[in-house]
Amino acid sequence: MVSFDDVVSLMKRRGFVFPGSDLYGGLANTYDYGPAGVELLRNIKNLWWNEFVTKRPDMVGIDASLISHHKIWEASGHVGGFADAMVDCKNCKTRMRADHLIEDFSHKNVEGFTTDQLDEIIRTDKVPCPKCGKVGMWTAVRKFNLLFPVQLGIVEGDQSQAYLRGETAQGMFINFKNVMDSTRVKLPFGIAQLGKSFRNEITLGNSVFRTIEFEQGEIEYFMRPPKTDEEWLVPYQEWKNAMWDFVTNKLGITQENLRWRVHSDEERSFYSKRTEDLEYNFPFGGFKELWGLAYRTDYDLSQHIKFSGKDLTVMDPQTGQRFTPHVIEPAVGISRLFLMILCDCYRVDNEKKRIVLALPKHLAPYKAAVFPLLANKEELVHKAKEVFTLLSQNMHVAWDDRGNIGKRYLSQDEIGTPACVTIDFQTLEDNSVTVRDRDTAHQKRVTIDELKGILL
Ligand code: GAP
């Protein structure tokens, strides 16, 4: 298995991810995506949107506000219950999630445990502080709400209290009627959204795996209330298949590094009839949640009907009776897909002494890189610029005229560029260039006319 430290080091070295607010000493659990990272992230998002919205007749998209009414989060249950159980070390002031602390030290699954139960385990197992090593210095376990409150300056009274959204999902529920009224959709159909969510999380520092600001891709798939389990299990299984297909076939992830895990009764939210996580075997701590799939019944729409006083029911055209649609929700963290892809594609080529990021071509930040053999030969640079302009009409191309060709290859290998095109003196004579393949490092000579066909 790859070393996670090596992946993180490549992410910084090659401009995928930088620590947030780096210039000022960093800001915990925040990250900035660099030039290579922003391209990879965008490619993942475009692929997700393309597969789950563009290609499907039963899906539409929205882009809801990040700042939202406090009532939304009261209705959803986030204001009352969206909390992590935390402990602080009285000696060194380290703050930790109590479940992570116990899982790491005692290897016990404490999903669904009360704060009293967590306290008891920390005491009886004599769990030490992972930072200073002291035992018996933990505060009592306390609940810590994850929502980020924001105060709206120009609005008076109760209305001034809003929240940064803690999930994109609520945007779909509160716009369910708007979408029904403004489009020609009919049940079953889904609303999808890609965008930032915010949670005031205490994290374990595994890069972008768990951050306080992160990108989600969520789908709320609305359907008539099923009469039997068999009825909802059909779309549930279809979504499971679609998620698996996306991760294995579209993202090209190694199947052995993936597994499904069904939530236990204690772990599952009370309104969910079934929840499963698609997990990836990350090189830190093993299998971890990547993508959740939950059958949320009619809980969310019912809550918003109750809190808003508005009618979000749908009329059955045959019987004339109204019903509240039920929902299946596939919810993924785009930043987790990003981290998984970097871990899965990281290769060490000992023979050629290089690191290769074996990204599928459609995900690579650049599809090709163009090099003039020598940067100080005007005629080579001129010709290489022509090739760059030609290719960049159809694909994202990198330009590099710094240092020797070997170093240029190594840096493109590390950001996963599938092909490097070099313009040399022979190009000036016969319009041919060398194309070097990332994975094999083999080179072949082709004409400029053939290039697009080969690279696309
Ligand atoms: N609407 C349901 C929902 O938000 P979730 O399991 O809390 O469910 C869905 O989040 C997905 O979002 C997770 O499977 C994970 O991939 C991602 N995610 C959640 N919290 C995250 C965080 N703090 N940082 C990065 N990704 C996160």
Side-chain angles (χ1 to χ4, degrees):
M1 183 176 264
V2 307
S3 135
F4 189 57
D5 286 347
D6 290 347
V7 177
V8 170
S9 153
L10 176 131
M11 283 162 73
K12 175 143 198 228
R13 184 168 78 244
R14 293 299 177 196
F16 282 96
V17 171
F18 306 127
S21 307
D22 205 12
L23 191 62
Y24 290 95
L27 181 66
N29 307 326
T30 65
Y31 292 89
D32 296 342
Y33 288 83
V38 72
E39 299 296 340
L40 174 57
L41 200 63
R42 182 175 301 140
N43 291 341
I44 299 168
K45 287 194 277 189
N46 287 346
L47 194 64
W48 186 92
W49 193 268
N50 205 26
E51 289 302 318
F52 295 120
V53 183
T54 317
K55 283 189 182 173
R56 294 184 59 132
D58 57 347
M59 292 287 307
V60 291
I62 59 162
D63 189 8
S65 176
L66 306 186
I67 299 173
S68 38
H69 202 288
H70 63 94
K71 278 259 169 91
I72 296 174
W73 304 100
E74 285 160 23
S76 69
H78 285 78
V79 169
F82 193 46
D84 276 343
M86 314 296 306
V87 278
D88 292 288
C89 173
K90 289 185 238 167
N91 183 50
C92 70
K93 312 290 176 237
T94 293
R95 174 168 286 182
M96 290 216 47
R97 269 176 65 167
D99 57 345
H100 288 169
L101 182 71
I102 295 169
E103 275 161 25
D104 287 352
F105 183 76
S106 308
H107 305 290
K108 289 180 179 159
N109 183 358
V110 290
E111 288 282 350
F113 279 39
T114 64
T115 49
D116 286 348
Q117 289 171 313
L118 296 171
D119 265 332
E120 175 71 16
I121 297 178
I122 291 174
R123 213 175 24 254
T124 49
D125 286 8
K126 297 193 171 35
V127 180
C129 170
K131 184 133 179 247
C132 70
K134 289 264 191 304
V135 178
M137 296 300 281
W138 295 111
T139 58
V141 177
R142 302 184 311 285
K143 288 273 185 173
F144 184 82
N145 194 281
L146 299 182
L147 279 182
F148 276 103
V150 283
Q151 218 63 41
L152 304 183
I154 49 162
V155 195
E156 293 284 308
D158 204 24
Q159 291 282 355
S160 70
Q161 169 73 73
Y163 290 100
L164 290 182
R165 65 182 180 195
E167 59 176 15
T168 54
Q170 294 307 318
M172 275 77 94
F173 297 123
I174 61 160
N175 282 296
F176 172 71
K177 190 166 167 18
N178 287 337
V179 171
M180 285 288 286
D181 291 350
S182 61
T183 66
R184 304 282 303 155
V185 290
K186 73 177 200 321
L187 293 170
F189 76 93
I191 310 180
Q193 182 170 202
L194 270 176
K196 288 272 173 91
S197 293
F198 303 83
R199 296 181 189 176
N200 207 352
E201 308 233 30
I202 303 296
T203 87
L204 298 177
N206 294 321
S207 180
V208 296
F209 180 78
R210 192 185 303 281
T211 50
I212 57 178
E213 176 188 335
F214 57 99
E215 198 99 33
Q216 280 189 311
E218 293 195 283
I219 292 164
E220 304 306 329
Y221 197 74
F222 298 95
M223 57 193 186
R224 298 171 63 90
K227 292 189 190 75
T228 59
D229 281 352
E230 285 73 45
E231 222 179 291
W232 64 263
L233 275 166
V234 172
Y236 189 90
Q237 187 59 44
E238 281 168 6
W239 278 109
K240 227 177 128 172
N241 296 347
M243 289 158 63
W244 182 263
D245 176 67
F246 187 81
V247 174
T248 56
N249 292 329
K250 307 298 180 310
L251 301 181
I253 299 301
T254 319
Q255 298 204 7
E256 294 70 55
N257 284 335
L258 294 163
R259 74 171 187 199
W260 288 100
R261 190 180 66 79
V262 182
H263 281 210
S264 63
D265 290 346
E266 298 76 43
E267 183 184 6
R268 200 176 59 243
S269 310
F270 67 91
Y271 49 79
S272 169
K273 277 222 168 160
R274 186 178 180 89
T275 302
E276 282 177 67
D277 289 340
L278 180 54
E279 298 186 330
Y280 178 75
N281 191 10
F282 284 95
F284 53 88
F287 281 96
K288 291 191 185 298
E289 175 182 350
L290 183 72
W291 202 331
L293 179 66
Y295 168 32
R296 298 174 67 108
T297 64
D298 62 356
Y299 173 76
D300 304 273
L301 286 183
S302 297
Q303 284 293 100
H304 287 299
I305 291 170
K306 199 154 94 192
F307 277 72
S308 69
K310 307 268 169 57
D311 182 12
L312 304 180
T313 58
V314 174
M315 194 181 69
D316 183 327
Q318 256 119 53
T319 64
Q321 294 203 319
R322 303 198 73 86
F323 60 86
T324 307
H326 282 222
V327 155
I328 290 177
E329 179 195 71
V332 72
I334 301 292
S335 7
R336 283 200 190 164
L337 293 179
F338 174 96
L339 189 63
M340 167 187 71
I341 289 165
L342 288 176
C343 294
D344 213 69
C345 293
Y346 188 99
R347 308 266 187 282
V348 181
D349 180 351
N350 288 321
E351 196 192 315
K352 299 195 170 59
K353 302 209 172 357
R354 62 182 187 140
I355 306 295
V356 179
L357 203 58
L359 292 171
K361 195 196 270 187
H362 58 279
L363 292 180
Y366 303 100
K367 308 307 169 215
V370 173
F371 310 153
L373 182 64
L374 299 169
N376 56 2
K377 290 288 175 212
E378 182 52 35
E379 59 277 37
L380 290 182
V381 173
H382 182 75
K383 190 72 186 170
K385 287 246 163 92
E386 271 180 27
V387 174
F388 180 92
T389 307
L390 174 81
L391 295 179
S392 61
Q393 308 306 310
N394 299 87
M395 63 191 98
H396 199 182
V397 191
W399 171 266
D400 189 356
D401 59 6
R402 266 176 61 186
N404 68 47
I405 289 283
K407 282 210 173 124
R408 293 187 226 172
Y409 285 153
L410 290 185
S411 82
Q412 294 301 329
D413 287 345
E414 292 196 356
I415 57 172
T417 309
C420 294
V421 178
T422 304
I423 284 75
D424 55 20
F425 291 104
Q426 195 179 324
T427 315
L428 303 177
E429 286 167 21
D430 63 5
N431 238 18
S432 71
V433 293
T434 64
V435 177
R436 184 250 192 201
D437 178 77
R438 173 194 71 195
D439 299 328
T440 61
H442 289 154
Q443 296 185 30
K444 62 179 175 188
R445 252 200 123 79
V446 303
T447 66
I448 291 176
D449 291 343
E450 291 169 316
L451 259 184
K452 271 192 194 173
I454 291 167
L455 299 176
L456 275 173

